[in-house]
Amino acid sequence: MISLIGKIFDGEKIIEKGTVVIDGDKIVKIVEEESKEGEVIYGNFIMPGLIDTHIHFFGVDEDNLLSWNLVNEIDVAIRSTRDMERILRSGFTTVRDLGSKVAVNLARLQRKGEIIGPTVIASGYSLSITGGNDDPKSLPIDIAQRLSYSFYCDSPYECRKAVRMAIRQGATVIKVYASGAFSQGGKIMPGFSLDELKAIVEEAHRNGLKVASHAYGKEAIMNSVLAGVDTIEHGLGLDEESATLIKEKGVCYIPTLATYEIPFEVDPIVRPFREELVKRHFTEDMRIAISKGLKIALGTDYVGSKQRPHGKNYREAVLLSRYMPNVEVLKSATSIASECLGLHNVGRIREGYNADVIVLNADPLNDIENLSPQHIMYVIKEGQKYKGYALFND
């Protein structure tokens, strides 16, 4: 039994001084006073484990499409195992991988207790059109498909099969590319049609899985929501009409701001258009999302590279704090994130919930930078206590 004593954020509200009692792998009691049962740990701030709803375990040095596909899978596995522990000790107890070659296996090994890390919700391979966002077109098509972390599919029938292939891999969510990213001439690359997206969503939902949609531009956002996806990823190019539809349908919006604050390798011809769209994402897109009251969840799109390293995932919270109060940021990183992922036993400190709780030495309500790894004292993951980076590196 463990008693965590300090200021508590339970995922929704604040308890100025209280105790969270953990027995086994569950939270068994929350009281608004000191209650010393079993091992006692004092902290400045106690809250649910953080959730990153959009990452990739790519395990790469260079951060570009070709590297993501060509990197040696043994290197990916070794680096990603290291990243799993780094993420956990940084306070993240659940992550969602939206396309990689190793995440399904990482999820299985973490569940079996063979590696240290957060719970991983994994899409297995993502779904893309031939010639789409994740197709390295400098390679012959047969080699590209063999090396890719995506299934290429080009009709409603092929898309249904691709969903089934991902499920066969062990996917617990389906990731689709409703659009590409940036192309020459200032246009967004095309992705799945509405009919293809509807087939994907229907097949995924029939199997009890949610669908996450990479969507740049109004057409892709609208098609995704009309098809019935559960989360809009990135969402660059959001406007009043698409935001209204997202709100009406109860779809979650995951802006992944952290991935755009870092310079990214793009064609020089594309760069001005990319910069304009990213600038709009940090201004108009977010203004609309906040004004419409969209359900915003924390997601970084970090991949485990030097530019976007796992362990620094708290950066998304810092960026979100530009647009909302710190307490709302904490909700986006815990209770809202768990709701968006369809999880019912994490993201809150409640009796009967999984004991995924973190203890900090500083209050993020005062300064959101206090979510950084240097302030994470302890991570309780399913009742097991781990030193956070604040103590692990001493």
Side-chain angles (χ1 to χ4, degrees), residues 26 159 164 182 204 274 279:
K26 300 295 182 185
C159 289
R164 294 171 185 176
F182 310 99
R274 179 191 188 278
K279 181 180 179 181

Side-chain angles (χ1 to χ4, degrees), residues 291-338:
S291 67
K292 293 291 184 180
L294 300 192
K295 198 178 299 180
I296 298 173
L298 182 149
T300 61
D301 198 21
Y302 276 10
V303 301
S305 64
K306 292 177 181 177
Q307 298 96 323
R308 295 184 287 169
H310 292 311
K312 299 292 186 180
N313 309 65
Y314 82 99
R315 283 298 307 164
E316 184 72 11
V318 174
L319 295 170
L320 287 174
S321 71
R322 297 179 182 178
Y323 313 99
M324 59 181 78
N326 288 355
V327 68
E328 298 300 320
V329 175
L330 297 189
K331 291 178 184 178
S332 291
T334 56
S335 56
I336 291 176
S338 66

